[in-house]
Amino acid sequence: MQVNATRGFLWSDVETKTLLQIWGEQDIQTALDGSFRNSFIYRDVARRLASKGFDRTPEQCRVRVKSLKRQFLLAKEGNLRNNGQYHKICKFYDIMEGILSNPSALDPQDMEEEGGPGEEEVVDGLDEDGEDTKESFTENTGHDCFPAEAITEVKVENPIMPISVPVNITVGKNNTQRPQSSSHQNCLKTLKRPRRTRSANFPMEKLMEQFLEQSAQAEENFYQVEEQRLQADNQRREAEHNREMDMLQMLGQMFSNISSTKPVAGVSRATPTGSQSHIRHTSQSDLFKPHSPDVQHLGSSFCVNLDSFLCMCVLTSHYNLSLHGGMDLALVKSIVPPLTSKKHKGQDGRIGIIGGCQDYTGAPYFAAISALKVGADLSHVFCTKDAAPVIKSYSPELIVHPVLDSPNAVEEIEKWLPRLHSLVVGPGLGRDDHILKTAKEIITKSKAKDIPIVIDADGLWLITEQPTVIQGYNKSILTPNIMEFTRLYESLLHQPTNTSDLRSCVTQLSIAMGNLTVVLKGEHDLITDGTKVFSCSIQGSGRRCGGQGDLLSGSLGVLAHWAHSASTAGLFKGLNPSLIAAFGACSLTRQCNLQAFERNGRSTTTSDMIQEIGLAFRNLFET
């Protein structure tokens, strides 16, 4: 017979039948008759069982026999009451019937353990080896209400759930009931308490688990509501921005219509029917006088005094009142030169970048390549000798001059100035005194040649130290971030920056610099020349990486050349070309940032933004 090498809970049918054969032998039953200390008997049973190939402990044998006896007694009592319907509740009923057919076969110890009326079975666990984990009420405890073997766990195979022991035990044909002593009942209550304690802990763990799940669900719902609120706020701000842009476009169209009438002796007023206009002198006080015949319906729900409204628009343009809002992108579109095969190389822009040293080689590359991507024909980078090989390796499209730190740097760069249309000073320039002195002299030479100059990064450090270098030159554009702006503002105006009113501060700085164009980069780019303030609020993204300012300065160098060329050709009047160029460069940078972020998310870099310049330019200025 195959040996069972484990001592688990489950007993096979063959193993159980073998145990019952050994337990039913005459000498075993005789030894059990009248004996309360029967551990030596079950040691003999376990030894005989092992000789037949089944390795079980004496305690496991005793518990198994006890379980089978209880199943048998329950089934037998049920048969007496229900005409044999409970016979199949005990698998080994017939074998047990043969063994327990006489009263002497009942173990007196088991009779003591069956309990009295109304008592429920108290069981505790055995470990995997079948050892009893409850050692209460042993021979040495001094308690005589229960024998040591009574506190064990009974594992029942059929059924799996524990079966309550009946109150009356049938022995033969007589029903007997054992009275319970008070000490016996007290011990039974003591044994029941741990079971009630353990069962009470189980729902508490369930409640805690449900509480944690509900808390997590509530937190998730909160975040979802908060996200929906933020999305609604973004949509509301975008709708407001679109309404402002629509109003500004209407205002721009009105300006263009008014300028086409060319009034001679006063302000012209367009008649509602579009007939020939007449001239009427209008003072500023006349703006608020009602003119009942001149009522123009705008929309279906309101009407305005068209005469007063147009006069206000003309006076706003005449007195250069500040326009607090964005600019019409149509103005930027008007400066973009058309693409045609009749042009030659260099005609649409030759841009010079002054910057690039050993520590900073990426910034001049970003500025120069952005200028090419926007539409310049040639980009020249004037850098130090040790930076030149690195910058050349970035792109073969760039013309790199390693002369910035040479003794005759000014002469070397000056001979290129007549070929350049605009100059960008600062990307990767560094703060070496010799290089800053060279940059200062180059700015002076460029001013003499009337070249538009964009100053960024370390070029602004030079302007902070020596503002007279660029002060009063109306073709210059400064592009500080908030830190650079604060440093420059406090250096010139000798007062702290009012961060709650940056619009006023940027205007003051522009005026202090001689009405230069200043672009304050931030959440909303503020652009001013001291008389007008524009805000560029085109949607960008939350990603801010190094190099975006270089993209702005490089593209601004190209747009500045286009804007001043268009102004010279008389394309538009009354508006500083640098403002148009600055607004276009800020819009383009933000659009590139948005498109790159939609593709790359958090991993967006300036290189990704540069790849978006072509598409962004087409979306903004060519559609």
Side-chain angles (χ1 to χ4, degrees), residues 540-543 592-604:
S541 76
R543 175 70 168 127
C592 291
N593 183 247
L594 175 63
Q595 292 177 188
F597 186 78
E598 289 175 348
R599 292 177 181 270
N600 303 282
R602 186 177 290 274
S603 64
T604 301

Side-chain angles (χ1 to χ4, degrees), residues 567-585:
S567 177
T568 303
L571 184 60
F572 49 82
K573 295 181 180 180
L575 190 61
N576 188 345
S578 296
L579 291 177
I580 300 176
F583 188 82

Side-chain angles (χ1 to χ4, degrees), residues 10-250:
L10 301 180
W11 288 67
S12 64
D13 293 345
V14 176
E15 190 177 8
T16 302
K17 290 180 180 179
T18 305
L19 173 66
L20 290 177
Q21 291 176 1
I22 297 173
W23 179 73
E25 293 177 2
Q26 186 63 35
D27 57 335
I28 297 295
Q29 292 296 317
T30 302
L32 288 173
D33 187 19
S35 174
F36 284 95
R37 303 293 181 222
N38 54 18
S39 58
F40 67 95
I41 300 175
Y42 284 100
R43 281 198 294 270
D44 186 29
V45 171
R47 189 165 46 251
R48 297 185 188 184
L49 189 63
S51 65
K52 296 188 178 289
F54 299 99
D55 186 14
R56 291 287 181 174
T57 65
E59 184 62 18
Q60 285 180 311
C61 295
R62 192 190 69 80
V63 170
R64 181 59 173 163
V65 170
K66 178 181 176 182
S67 175
L68 293 172
K69 288 167 61 178
R70 289 185 178 181
Q71 293 180 40
F72 169 77
L73 294 176
L74 180 62
K76 188 166 186 177
E77 183 177 6
N79 288 337
L80 294 176
R81 295 179 179 179
N82 298 281
N83 300 323
Q85 295 298 321
Y86 281 73
H87 178 84
K88 55 185 175 181
I89 197 172
C90 181
K91 181 183 296 187
F92 307 98
Y93 185 88
D94 296 332
I95 300 177
M96 296 294 295
E97 176 71 41
I99 299 174
L100 301 178
S101 57
N102 56 80
S104 62
L106 280 178
D107 192 342
Q109 179 187 3
D110 294 329
M111 291 292 294
E112 182 70 23
E113 291 173 353
E114 295 300 328
E119 294 176 359
E120 63 182 41
E121 181 182 358
V122 180
V123 293
D124 284 300
L126 290 171
D127 60 11
E128 190 176 8
D129 292 334
E131 300 297 332
D132 193 353
T133 57
K134 285 287 184 177
E135 296 183 357
S136 302
F137 306 105
T138 59
E139 296 180 27
N140 299 325
T141 57
H143 296 281
D144 58 354
C145 59
F146 262 107
E149 295 83 351
I151 307 174
T152 59
E153 180 177 1
V154 177
K155 289 293 180 177
V156 182
E157 289 182 352
N158 295 308
I160 297 176
M161 297 299 295
I163 301 174
S164 300
V165 179
V167 174
N168 296 324
I169 301 175
T170 303
V171 181
K173 296 182 180 180
N174 298 323
N175 295 336
T176 61
Q177 179 177 340
R178 294 182 59 87
Q180 300 294 322
S181 63
S182 60
S183 61
H184 188 101
Q185 294 176 356
N186 292 336
C187 292
L188 198 59
K189 292 179 181 180
T190 304
L191 288 174
K192 291 180 181 179
R193 287 171 190 164
R195 295 289 292 182
R196 286 196 293 268
T197 302
R198 287 195 298 270
S199 63
N201 288 337
F202 180 75
M204 181 59 68
E205 295 175 359
K206 284 290 185 183
L207 290 175
M208 182 59 68
E209 183 179 353
Q210 293 177 1
F211 172 75
L212 293 176
E213 291 177 356
Q214 293 174 359
S215 299
Q217 184 64 33
E219 185 176 2
E220 183 179 355
N221 293 339
F222 170 76
Y223 285 130
Q224 290 178 354
V225 172
E226 187 68 13
E227 184 178 358
Q228 293 174 358
R229 185 185 66 79
L230 292 176
Q231 291 177 355
D233 289 344
N234 291 335
Q235 293 175 357
R236 177 181 55 79
R237 284 194 294 267
E238 185 176 357
E240 292 177 355
H241 174 68
N242 292 335
R243 286 195 297 270
E244 292 175 358
M245 294 300 296
D246 292 340
M247 292 299 297
L248 290 171
Q249 288 178 0
M250 293 173 58

Side-chain angles (χ1 to χ4, degrees), residues 514-533:
N515 291 100
L516 302 185
T517 300
V518 178
V519 179
L520 175 56
K521 299 176 289 189
E523 181 180 1
H524 305 288
D525 299 332
L526 296 178
I527 307 164
T528 183
D529 61 354
T531 58
K532 299 179 179 66
V533 179

Side-chain angles (χ1 to χ4, degrees), residues 352-356 364 380-383 404 413 417 420 423-429 435 438-439 442:
I353 311 295
I354 307 297
H380 296 260
V381 178
F382 300 91
C383 61
L404 193 56
I413 298 174
L417 292 181
L420 300 179
L423 202 65
V424 180
V425 180
L429 186 65
I435 295 178
T438 301
I442 292 171

Side-chain angles (χ1 to χ4, degrees), residues 351-365:
I351 312 303
I353 311 295
I354 307 297
C357 60
Q358 182 178 8
D359 295 331
Y360 306 108
T361 58
Y365 162 74

